[in-house]
Amino acid sequence: MCGIIGYTGKNNSVSIALEGLKRLEYRGYDSAGVAFFDNGSVDVRRCKGKISDLMALLSREEKPSSTTAIGHTRWATHGRPSDENAHPHRSGDIVLVHNGIIENYVELKKKLKGEGFVFTSETDTEIICHLINKHSPGLPLEDAVREAVKELRGAYALAVISEREPGKVVGVRKDSPLVVGVGDGEYFLASDIPAFLSYTRDVIFLEDNELVVITQEGFTTSTAAGEPVGKETVHITWDSTMAEKGGYDHFMLKEIFEQPRSLADTLAGRINTETSEVNLEEFNIEKGDLEKVKKIFIVACGTSWHAAIVGKYMIEELARVPVEVDIASEFRYRNPIMNGDELFIAITKSGETADTLAAQRMAKKLGAKVLSICNVIGSTSSREADSVFYTHSGPEIGVASTKAFTAQMAALYLFAVAFGRAKGLVPDERMQELLEEMLMIPDKIEKILLKEKAIEDIAKRYVNKSGFLYIARGINYPIALEGALKLKEVSYIHAEAYPAGEMKHGPIALIDEGFPVIVLAPRDRLHEKMISNIQEIKSRGGSIIAVTTGSGREIADMAEQLIEVPESVSYLQPMVMVVPLQLLAYHVGVLRGCNVDQPRNLAKSVTVE
């Protein structure tokens, strides 16, 4: 969840570290710091608050011209946000930054205190610093790091420097992401690729229990035990401008408007309109393998879990195979029944979500084949899966996921259509129709984006409400869940979603005069049922905001606000219905003065449990 940057090269390392930390702000943080070499010693600057506070602290001093530095943005776990708990941490000659959680830090801290080490923070990170310092006499920095991590239990990504070895940065990881950027005479360590995208797009992904040493002369990789490891460099196609706002006020708004392009890129090369087939080659699933699948498990967290529920509807209807959907943090702690003929689908934008990775590894041990739906080439989930479907949506900087969500639904749709075709359940004519409808979705979303001003006006009417209810039925119910989540995330207004058929089982008690209810009511087979729900709300004084397709008079007469969206086949309607909900949440958040790109207490990638 925290952001790590390390640099060694020929340029100003402090400026590069600060720039990298700015590009990692989306991961969430409450303090920031940098450490850099200055006249043979390592200086540390850190503070509670934003990177702007750290930059102000540095600007009050002479601009350092170091060529080696490490930096960090901290999201508090052990110890409150404070200057003392901010990273980097120091012990003697050793200075480091850390992402993760050390599970045995209490016993290690007690042991180190007994050996005379003095602690100045409440963090678990400080024990790692002391351990490396303890092992460092007579050893190169990388070997001292190797000795120290032998004693650790938990998750960690480390970037370590020592005053005794200027120009060297050591990185090591276990269950927490760390990547290497390979430039021209300069090298980077980071917790995520956007940190150094403006300098290089050549990346090395470290596996668990691997260690890297970077200097101006190059890099070496090995296991934590010291065995050399050869690593391939991966060229990332993302452009650095994709991680910039590009004229938009916020990343969230930019990424909402990028959805047509994101979907087009995700579909590119995967649909053969001449043969009406989905190209399965890229994600390495043979049609014969699909026919053997008797059950599917889909596991994800947060917004990705909502995409998973949509996928369940798609797959069960098109391929007639039962699908279980689990929140990853629940799946990993239950005892699922698997016998080897299941397909396990992990949905993770970053490919590094801790609970999803743990669930994926568990499923693999139980004999399931694993498909990862992921946005980051070379991420842990993609490397460990049997097959990968990459969503080519580019970097998503806003913490509240938008374009990644619609790309994930597109991936699940293509999989469901291909699966149904492989089982002989989708005839040629129907296949052609389903694929043509998918190709039209980007244009349909473009039409909704033209309604942004009207949706902003709706946001102005409801910005001071203290709560919202979202209701829908069938495949659009998870879109109600997603709409409520978006509003909670970026505006801090309480919102909840229910299947509309459950109104009389509790939620209807919330309805009083003017209470806002967002109703998703496309003209599908459940449309008349939704009309009845709207009447229930209307008769109790609720204020209805209806999202519908060519509504007709019945909804128009009952709704205070009406948002019409283009119609599509039922499986694709969720991709269209969610866009106005994203815009509504965004504008309510902005009108309330909230930081919609970095909501309080949230992080983009939850890489610790």
Side-chain angles (χ1 to χ4, degrees), residues 125-391:
T125 300
E126 195 176 358
I127 65 110
I128 311 173
C129 222
H130 289 318
L131 279 174
I132 297 172
N133 186 25
K134 172 185 171 181
H135 291 291
S136 65
L139 290 178
L141 178 59
E142 56 269 32
D143 288 341
V145 171
R146 288 191 178 98
E147 292 301 316
V149 299
K150 289 178 183 178
E151 302 186 51
L152 303 180
R153 291 200 312 271
Y156 51 82
L158 305 175
V160 190
I161 57 178
S162 168
E163 284 185 341
R164 292 184 290 111
E165 300 182 64
K168 176 188 287 187
V169 185
V170 175
V172 64
R173 67 157 284 181
K174 180 181 180 295
D175 295 331
S176 193
L178 195 64
V179 297
V180 181
V182 180
D184 183 10
E186 56 185 0
Y187 299 87
F188 304 80
L189 282 179
S191 45
D192 208 351
I193 295 166
F196 52 72
L197 259 183
S198 57
Y199 295 92
T200 181
R201 287 187 280 168
D202 292 329
V203 179
I204 291 170
F205 293 92
L206 296 179
E207 303 283 355
D208 277 351
N209 299 307
E210 287 186 347
L211 179 146
V212 64
V213 178
I214 61 172
T215 66
Q216 290 185 16
E217 286 69 45
F219 67 92
T220 59
T221 50
S222 60
T223 66
E227 296 295 322
V229 175
K231 305 293 290 185
E232 290 187 6
T233 300
V234 178
H235 186 73
I236 301 299
T237 57
W238 298 348
D239 191 301
S240 61
T241 58
M242 297 173 74
E244 298 171 357
K245 290 180 184 175
Y248 289 90
D249 289 338
H250 300 92
F251 281 112
M252 183 179 178
L253 185 61
K254 174 178 180 274
E255 287 155 6
I256 291 171
F257 273 79
E258 284 178 338
Q259 286 177 111
R261 172 63 185 274
S262 167
L263 286 171
D265 288 346
T266 296
L267 300 175
R270 286 173 165 145
I271 294 177
N272 188 326
T273 54
E274 293 182 2
T275 61
S276 297
E277 290 185 342
V278 176
N279 180 1
L280 301 179
E281 291 180 5
E282 184 185 3
F283 51 104
N284 193 32
I285 295 180
E286 299 294 336
K287 292 180 181 179
D289 293 336
L290 284 177
E291 293 166 13
K292 298 172 188 174
V293 173
K294 299 294 187 291
K295 186 176 183 179
I296 292 175
F297 290 82
I298 312 180
V299 170
C301 298
T303 288
S304 296
W305 178 63
H306 299 155
I309 303 172
V310 173
K312 172 184 170 71
Y313 282 94
M314 293 173 175
I315 295 167
E316 288 189 339
E317 289 199 26
L318 288 167
R320 306 306 296 157
V321 170
V323 178
E324 280 191 30
V325 175
D326 276 272
I327 294 173
S329 57
E330 292 296 316
F331 180 89
R332 65 181 292 192
Y333 291 116
R334 72 180 182 87
N335 190 17
I337 300 171
M338 289 184 163
N339 54 29
D341 57 5
E342 299 89 2
L343 176 66
F344 178 94
I345 302 177
I347 307 179
T348 164
K349 177 198 164 292
S350 68
E352 303 292 350
T353 305
D355 286 319
T356 305
L357 287 174
Q360 177 176 322
R361 289 162 180 161
M362 176 180 169
K364 203 160 187 178
K365 284 182 180 178
L366 292 172
K369 291 290 185 183
V370 173
L371 167 64
S372 171
I373 296 177
C374 178
N375 192 53
V376 180
I377 296 172
S379 62
T380 303
S381 177
S382 66
R383 294 197 306 272
E384 294 184 3
D386 298 301
S387 307
V388 185
F389 190 117
Y390 286 114
T391 54

Side-chain angles (χ1 to χ4, degrees), residues 459-480:
K460 290 175 181 177
R461 291 172 179 263
Y462 293 91
V463 66
N464 294 317
K465 296 293 184 180
S466 60
F468 282 72
L469 179 65
Y470 290 66
I471 63 170
R473 287 178 181 258
I475 197 170
N476 289 298
Y477 165 57
I479 301 307

